Amino acid sequence: MISILIPTFNDDCRGLVGSLILQAERIDGLDWEIIVADDASTNTAVVEANSGIGKLEGCRYIRRSTNTGRSVIRNFLAQEARGEWLLFIDADLVMVRNDFLKTYVDATAHAEVICGGYQVLKGPDGNLRYLYEHAAEKNKSVEQRLKHPYHSFFASNFMIKRDIFLQHPFDSRFYKYGYEDVLLGRELNKAGITITHINAPVGFLEYESNAYFLKKTEEAMETLYQFRDSLQGYSSILRVANRLQGNLLGAIFRKIFKWKRNTWETNLISKQPSLLIFKLYKLGYYMCCF
């Protein structure tokens, strides 16, 4: 049995659920369930829309009264699930392949943890999140992910045996945005659990505003700093910052960031953001957490 688990916060996931139901019903002999857990959404229209999911056959909708964060809500979903396999999908993603679920099912014969990848669909011109994801997509192909299976693990689209996940859940200390999946990939590596990468992508289609994405990025850098000891070897930002920390070049870069921060921020929230400035901003913000 497969439990399809969708954590949501202010995302209307009815289309995603509908697509998954159609795919599940086409697979002969598949026992499945879909559980959507709402992490105390504040958008009442979205909550009302998603609540109808609980009326669909094979589906449950659970509304949480307190926002617990990205790790705890996923761990909660795993506890609620009945399946031998847990398929986690983020609520803001869309189906791009009709054989998505079957590809996962076929992979369970010789796997413990499976990652399906993602596809970047066209976003608005000048959108920082779209530009960033589009530039990174070439490094997220199956071929590239297989070269570094643990470093390429991400939580938005993966399947794992329930007993393994209950032994290795997401770290509940992760509340702010970012890196909870990176740490889980590291923990699976330490435990000797194999991660299999397949071509079963979901689609990025919704892109937040540049200002909101920049705020999320700042949160991610704060999370990276908080868990820096546990994430060594799993972040390029950490690798560069470690080289700069404690020497003259690092001190100079911090001063440059503080001097240019407002200018860089203006660029990044504009209609023509620079990915080079975005990289520098992330590094500078992280190094100023010291």
Side-chain angles (χ1 to χ4, degrees):
M1 180 179 182
I2 292 178
S3 296
I4 303 171
L5 308 178
I6 304 175
T8 184
F9 179 76
N10 289 338
D11 286 304
D12 185 341
C13 55
R14 290 174 297 171
L16 175 63
V17 170
S19 297
L20 288 165
I21 291 173
L22 289 175
Q23 292 197 23
E25 289 177 340
R26 288 199 300 263
I27 301 175
D28 292 338
L30 179 65
D31 192 8
W32 59 274
E33 66 175 352
I34 296 176
I35 308 176
V36 176
D38 186 299
D39 199 18
S41 290
T42 56
N43 187 323
T44 55
V46 169
V47 172
E48 183 177 353
N50 283 338
S51 63
I53 292 171
K55 300 175 183 178
L56 302 174
E57 186 174 355
C59 299
R60 293 173 61 198
Y61 174 77
I62 304 172
R63 166 82 165 139
R64 305 266 282 175
S65 59
T66 303
N67 183 269
T68 55
R70 296 161 60 85
S71 291
V72 171
I73 193 67
R74 291 189 177 100
N75 294 343
F76 168 77
L77 277 163
Q79 295 288 345
E80 291 291 318
R82 297 184 295 111
E84 174 192 2
W85 286 91
L86 311 178
L87 174 55
F88 287 91
I89 308 174
D90 282 358
D92 60 345
L93 301 172
V94 298
M95 288 291 104
V96 294
R97 289 179 53 155
N98 293 328
D99 61 347
F100 167 84
L101 192 55
K102 186 177 187 307
T103 304
Y104 263 114
V105 171
D106 291 345
T108 60
H110 305 288
E112 298 175 301
V113 183
I114 311 166
C115 285
Y118 67 86
Q119 180 179 335
V120 179
L121 305 177
K122 184 69 173 72
D125 292 338
N127 182 272
L128 180 59
R129 178 68 184 271
Y130 167 68
L131 294 172
Y132 172 75
E133 297 292 355
H134 181 67
E137 187 177 23
K138 61 180 179 295
N139 296 320
K140 304 299 182 180
S141 66
V142 173
E143 294 76 18
Q144 291 298 318
R145 286 186 279 127
L146 286 171
K147 293 178 182 179
H148 306 284
Y150 297 99
H151 292 70
S152 301
F153 176 82
F154 57 95
S156 57
N157 174 26
F158 79 101
M159 189 154 71
I160 184 171
K161 286 186 175 179
R162 185 174 187 270
D163 59 346
I164 291 177
F165 185 81
L166 294 180
Q167 295 173 32
H168 303 279
F170 286 105
D171 191 320
S172 60
R173 295 174 299 165
F174 282 72
Y175 180 78
K176 289 185 176 182
Y177 179 76
Y179 291 97
E180 75 281 355
D181 48 1
V182 178
L183 183 60
L184 180 55
R186 178 180 180 271
E187 293 304 307
L188 294 173
N189 190 6
K190 287 174 59 179
I193 297 169
T194 301
I195 296 179
T196 300
H197 289 270
I198 63 174
N199 187 26
V202 286
F204 275 108
L205 184 60
E206 296 183 14
Y207 300 96
E208 55 269 80
S209 70
N210 292 358
Y212 187 65
F213 181 56
L214 190 61
K215 180 181 178 181
K216 286 173 61 176
T217 300
E218 292 174 349
E219 279 194 10
M221 293 303 98
E222 292 167 8
T223 300
L224 179 60
Y225 178 75
Q226 181 181 355
F227 295 98
R228 61 193 181 281
D229 292 338
S230 299
L231 294 170
Q232 294 293 333
Y234 282 75
S235 164
S236 58
I237 293 286
L238 272 180
R239 185 168 59 251
V240 175
N242 289 342
R243 293 175 182 172
L244 295 176
Q245 185 179 358
N247 60 41
L248 179 60
L249 189 57
I252 292 173
F253 184 74
R254 280 196 193 92
K255 289 183 178 180
I256 292 174
F257 175 74
K258 292 176 181 179
W259 172 47
K260 299 290 290 184
R261 178 175 177 175
N262 289 341
T263 302
W264 288 352
E265 186 173 339
T266 298
N267 170 268
L268 294 175
I269 65 176
S270 74
K271 295 181 180 180
Q272 293 182 311
S274 164
L275 288 181
L276 174 59
I277 290 177
F278 184 56
K279 291 179 181 179
L280 294 173
Y281 189 94
K282 288 170 65 177
L283 177 61
Y285 192 94
Y286 172 82
M287 292 189 66
C288 286
C289 291
F290 296 146

